[in-house]
Structures are given as structure tokens and as C-alpha cells.
Amino acid sequence: MTITGDRAAPGSHSPAKTRVSPPGRRLLDSAAARSLLAIVLATVALFLVSAVLAPQSVGAGAISAMLPFAAILAVVALGQTLVVQQSGIDLSVPGAFSLAVVIVARLSAGGDTTAIVVAVAVALAATAVAGLVNGLIITYLRVTPIVATLGMNALLLGAVWAVSEGAARRIPSGLSTSLGGSVLGVPVTVLVALVLTAVIAVVVKRTAAGRRFEVVGASERVAAAAGIRRHGYVLFAYSGAAALYGLGGVLLTGIVNTPGITEGNAYLLPSVAAVVLGGTSLRGGKGNIVASLVAALFFTQVDRLVSTLGLSYGIQIIVQALALALGVAFHSGSLGRRRRGAATSTPADDEPEPESSPTTGTVPTPAVSEPTRTTR
């Protein structure tokens, strides 16, 4: 429902104009909703094209085999989304992912439940600590995220070779049974990705801490003016992201019997591309968690289509790079149009919606000035 009134003239006592947009219109007008709609439509179109060019790539068996890998990419993309929301980018994905794989493969060799639990815990803890170190270097030493995470990736890859001794190990059947199984016909990896997406989306979008997280990423100066300490949120972003990369590696060990020691190399470019194509700005601030998950499905199906058509791995990389470039161009163009529209609009036609306070989650009440009276 839309409620409108008359705008008060200067110096008059008539009520000010009140404009309330319909909930559906406000939802569709938001940048996040447009990005989500765009990637959903692109994914639907991709599956339709796949059905025409390679029908076997969208069969029931092909879809059931593709979804676990899409879920793993989604988990990794969720971590990258958190980092990008803090105006950064994480190049340590390959090292963290691969380190989790080799830790699980080595420590769970006994095959019993205790060994598997310990292996998973050590893998997640090791990657989370690596991410925490990334955050400390970036926040306290003021090293740029690209340099810090690239150096950390080199250290992690060295650890991968040290732990694995340069050889891939077979995963025990107990891990494959638990992580590679399904619940009510839904793969465990898919359930994990869906639950994580829902939890992170609610925390970031529906809590005061999440709104502060977005404010810190959008502008360090604004966050400081609001009394928000930046360092804790950056540390959380990088540590949490690295733990999600490690979780992706753990999930992979449940569906691949003998994973290689460099499995993480295949997840760096797709994770960044999924974040960008999902609508999260590389400038930081607000992210689109659900769209990152859908974009992960999009890129996984692209890989399946290219493989089914018999094209080389190089073509897959080119397609991912093109999708990343198109995503950047699309969202940069949308941002430019919004800025030009805001610059040319008048207050009467483009009155901003009140925003929630990042610290309290309440909507501030606009101040109403009394008309000036002149006495003689």
C-alpha cells in the first residue's frame, strides 16, 4: 500500500508529505534483489542451453553428481563473500582448501570415528588460525589484502607438501559414508551449504552485529565516526572465511576417494567470480549471500557443460574469466547508473528511505524544524 500526502511549503504548518513504498516494490528496487534475480535467471537460462547443447549434462544422474561439487564451491564462495564485504580479496583459498584436504587424509587414516573427528577439527582449526593471521597482518600491519593473502597462500602450500609428503592418500570409507551420504535424498554437502547460507544471511542481514559488519566494510571512516571498532570485524571475516575454505576441503574428502594435494587450485577463480556475479561489490559493504550460492551453482554447471561438450580445461578457465569480467562490468554499470540517477533526481522525486542504525538496529526519527516566526 502506498500512502501519500502533500509536501509542506516553506513556513507553512501543513503536514509534510509521507511516502511509503509497497513492500514488493521496495524489494524489487533493492540492488540485492536485482542481483539475485539476475543470477537466478542466468542460471535457468544456462540449464536450458545445456538441455539443448548437451542433454546428458542435465540428466538426473548428472545433476545428482554435480550438486555436491556446487555445494562445496558455494561454501568457499560464502567465505570469499565475507572477505569482499570488508573491501578485501582472499588469495589464500588454494592453500587453505588443500591443507584441510591433506590434514584430513593423513589424520583419519585409521578410519575410526575418533580419528575422523580429530582430523576434521584439526583441519578447521588450522585454516581458521591461518585466516586469523591474515586478518592481523592486514589490520595491524596495514598490508594490502592481496599481498597478505598471497604470502599466506605460499606458506599454506608449503605446509601442504610437508603434511602430505608430496603424495595423495586414500580417504577411509567411514568419512565417505558420513560426508558423502544423503539425508532424505539430499546430499549432505548440499544440506551443509544451505544451512550455512541461511545462518550467515540471517546474521549479516538481520542482526545489529551484521549491520555493523557491513558498515565497517563500506567505509572505515564512517565506522570510526559511529564508534565502531573495525579490527574485530576484519579478523572475523578472514578467520571465518579461511575456516569455510577448510570446510570445503573437508567436504571434498567425503566425495572423492583419493583427492590430490592441490585440489584447492580449482576454487580460487570460481569463488571470486561467484561473489562478483552474485552482486557483492568489490568496494565492500553490503553482500549478497544467497546470490553467491546461486552463482556457485551457475559456475559448476558451466564446468559440467564444457566437460560434456569435450572442451579442454583451458576453455573452462576462459569461460570463468569471461563471466567474472561480465559480472564486474554489469554491476559497475548498475552502480554508475544509480549514482547518476541520484545526482540528477530532486528531493521531491527521490526521497531516501530511512536506514537502520548500525549500532542499535533502530530507525532514526527525522528531526522536524519549527517554522521561524518574526516579531515586530
Side-chain angles (χ1 to χ4, degrees):
M1 180 178 64
T2 302
I3 303 173
T4 58
D6 295 329
R7 182 176 294 274
S12 68
H13 297 281
S14 59
K17 180 179 180 180
T18 303
R19 180 180 300 169
V20 180
S21 301
R25 180 177 178 182
R26 290 179 62 184
L27 178 64
L28 291 176
D29 285 345
S30 68
R34 289 196 298 269
S35 299
L36 178 59
L37 179 61
I39 187 58
V40 168
L41 292 178
T43 304
V44 172
L46 173 63
F47 276 93
L48 293 177
V49 171
S50 300
V52 174
L53 297 181
Q56 61 271 34
S57 68
V58 291
I63 295 295
S64 62
M66 178 269 293
L67 285 179
F69 292 95
I72 292 173
L73 177 56
V75 171
V76 176
L78 291 177
Q80 192 72 257
T81 302
L82 296 177
V83 171
V84 172
Q85 283 190 267
Q86 294 303 306
S87 304
I89 191 168
D90 198 339
L91 302 183
S92 65
V93 172
F97 191 102
S98 299
L99 181 61
V101 170
V102 297
I103 288 177
V104 171
R106 179 160 187 171
L107 296 185
S108 65
D112 57 284
T113 303
T114 302
I116 292 174
V117 172
V118 170
V120 171
V122 171
L124 296 181
T127 52
V129 169
L132 180 62
V133 173
N134 271 336
L136 291 171
I137 293 173
I138 292 167
T139 53
Y140 290 98
L141 300 183
R142 311 298 291 182
V143 178
T144 58
I146 290 180
V147 175
T149 57
L150 185 61
M152 177 57 67
N153 186 63
L155 292 175
L156 292 174
L157 290 178
V160 167
W161 282 89
V163 173
S164 66
E165 299 177 346
R169 286 180 168 83
R170 186 173 181 82
I171 302 299
S173 59
L175 191 61
S176 301
T177 302
S178 56
L179 296 181
S182 61
V183 178
L184 299 177
V186 181
V188 172
T189 52
V190 175
L191 290 175
V192 170
L194 292 176
V195 170
L196 284 174
T197 301
V199 170
I200 295 175
V202 169
V203 170
V204 172
K205 298 297 183 182
R206 300 297 181 183
T207 66
R211 286 188 283 272
R212 290 194 292 268
F213 180 82
E214 292 187 330
V215 169
V216 168
S219 174
E220 183 178 352
R221 183 176 59 183
V222 171
I228 304 174
R229 295 178 61 87
R230 171 177 179 265
H231 292 355
Y233 294 97
V234 176
L235 294 178
F236 164 77
Y238 281 91
S239 181
L244 288 172
Y245 309 152
L247 179 59
V250 171
L251 293 176
L252 183 70
T253 61
I255 59 177
V256 177
N257 292 330
T258 309
I261 64 174
T262 58
E263 293 285 351
N265 292 343
Y267 288 89
L268 176 57
L269 180 58
S271 69
V272 178
V275 172
V276 174
L277 204 61
T280 300
S281 172
L282 293 175
R283 292 184 175 91
K286 292 187 176 182
N288 202 328
I289 305 298
V290 178
S292 294
L293 179 141
V294 179
L297 176 63
F298 175 88
F299 280 106
T300 307
Q301 178 58 25
V302 167
D303 290 346
R304 291 295 168 141
L305 175 60
V306 172
S307 299
T308 304
L309 293 176
L311 302 178
S312 65
Y313 178 71
I315 299 298
Q316 296 182 27
I317 299 299
I318 293 175
V319 171
Q320 293 174 359
L322 288 176
L324 175 60
L326 290 175
V328 171
F330 173 78
H331 294 296
S332 297
S334 298
L335 178 61
R337 288 192 296 271
R338 289 197 298 273
R339 286 182 173 177
R340 287 193 296 272
T344 58
S345 61
T346 61
D349 296 329
D350 191 19
E351 192 172 293
E353 296 283 348
E355 296 185 355
S356 299
S357 168
T359 56
T360 63
T362 59
V363 178
T365 303
V368 179
S369 58
E370 293 291 337
T372 304
R373 297 184 180 182
T374 305
T375 58
R376 297 182 181 177

